[in-house]
Amino acid sequence: MSNHQILNNAQHADLRVHTHADSALGDAAMAALVVPDEFRKVQAEYPILFKRDAGSGSFSAMALLGFENGENLYLSNGKWDARYRPLSMAIQPFLVGRPADGEGEGQVHVDMDHPRISTSGEGTRVFDETGQPTPFLETIAEMLGSLHVGYERSAGFYAALERHELLEPFSLEVPLSDGSKHSLVGFHIVNEETLRALDADALADLHGEGHLMPLFMAIASLSHLSGLAARKDARHTGG
């Protein structure tokens, strides 16, 4: 359940948020939603895979954090073991919401039932003693803006992937040092052969719309699959 409220300095004057990494705070996730605008930063740390929604049939991109539900292999002793956190994770418990009538600019909302909401008086303040946004909230607002713009711009990217049939199903078998194996299924990746076979007009179309760079970033990110498998093996064997 969630309890979304429009963030304001009257109702939330004393609001504090837990900002450290912890599975109990919502970080125990196998994958995090990412937008093409952040692929350059994401690919430096995580594999980027694509997931088709069973209901709508539409695709979204995911930074892979683990190989099974609830497993985040980048969580280690209360720290996030990577230099970049996907925006969808970093902005929690905040989100962009629309006014009740659905018109106008998006507003900063906060999920008051999110585990990052502090009820103990500990954590990072959202507003200072004078009711002004703290540097923490200013950073969150900037990230929310980037994420919102990224969502808006991503529709064209996924339409191009569909138009040029650039995604293919992907599965991976992860062998562990104790002889067991773990399988990853249900995702898609960029089909490099199809991409290379595109004619000049198609490539010009992708380049002109700004889609080539995120495609290359998604392909490059797959080099992290071996590192993620090593994290899985170390966690599995207690190393």
Side-chain angles (χ1 to χ4, degrees):
M1 297 296 291
S2 58
N3 176 17
H4 294 178
Q5 299 177 7
I6 299 174
L7 185 68
N8 63 84
N9 61 1
Q11 187 177 2
H12 306 110
D14 298 319
L15 182 64
R16 291 177 180 265
V17 173
H18 296 299
T19 57
H20 62 281
D22 195 292
S23 59
L25 299 179
D27 290 332
M30 173 185 172
L33 186 71
V34 293
V35 294
D37 283 358
E38 64 176 324
F39 278 13
R40 182 184 291 273
K41 293 180 179 178
V42 173
Q43 67 83 31
E45 303 285 342
Y46 315 97
I48 298 171
L49 305 180
F50 298 88
K51 185 82 171 178
R52 186 192 290 273
D53 181 79
S56 67
S58 60
F59 281 101
S60 57
M62 314 294 291
L64 190 67
L65 309 178
F67 293 106
E68 53 189 302
N69 290 334
E71 177 183 70
N72 184 344
L73 296 169
Y74 292 88
L75 275 183
S76 177
N77 299 320
K79 295 181 180 180
W80 191 286
D81 187 23
R83 292 164 295 181
Y84 179 78
R85 291 177 68 189
L87 289 173
S88 65
M89 302 288 285
I91 53 91
Q92 296 177 6
F94 303 96
L95 63 154
V96 174
R98 292 290 183 186
D101 59 8
E103 302 293 331
E105 295 293 322
Q107 302 167 311
V108 177
H109 287 212
V110 57
D111 179 3
M112 294 301 294
D113 287 343
H114 195 281
R116 287 198 173 277
I117 299 295
S118 174
T119 58
S120 63
E122 300 177 346
T124 301
R125 291 197 64 147
V126 176
F127 295 101
D128 65 21
E129 293 81 356
T130 66
Q132 296 301 306
T134 61
F136 165 70
L137 179 54
E138 291 175 347
T139 299
I140 289 291
E142 183 177 338
M143 289 192 291
L144 282 169
S146 297
L147 190 58
H148 181 65
V149 170
Y151 281 140
E152 296 289 318
R153 288 158 53 109
S154 66
F157 177 73
Y158 293 116
L161 295 185
E162 296 268 26
R163 184 165 65 250
H164 297 292
E165 300 180 340
L166 285 171
L167 294 181
E168 63 175 339
F170 172 75
S171 60
L172 179 70
E173 195 168 76
V174 182
L176 303 176
S177 57
D178 66 356
S180 62
K181 296 180 180 180
H182 192 86
S183 297
L184 179 72
V185 297
F187 290 93
H188 287 67
I189 60 173
V190 176
N191 187 319
E192 293 185 54
E193 290 186 7
T194 302
L195 180 59
R196 282 196 296 266
L198 292 179
D199 61 26
D201 289 341
L203 289 172
D205 174 56
L206 289 170
H207 176 68
E209 295 181 356
H211 302 323
L212 268 185
M213 186 59 71
L215 280 170
F216 292 148
M217 294 296 104
I219 292 170
S221 76
L222 299 181
S223 64
H224 292 296
L225 284 169
S226 59
L228 192 61
R231 288 174 183 262
K232 173 71 173 179
D233 192 45
R235 190 75 58 92
H236 183 74
T237 58

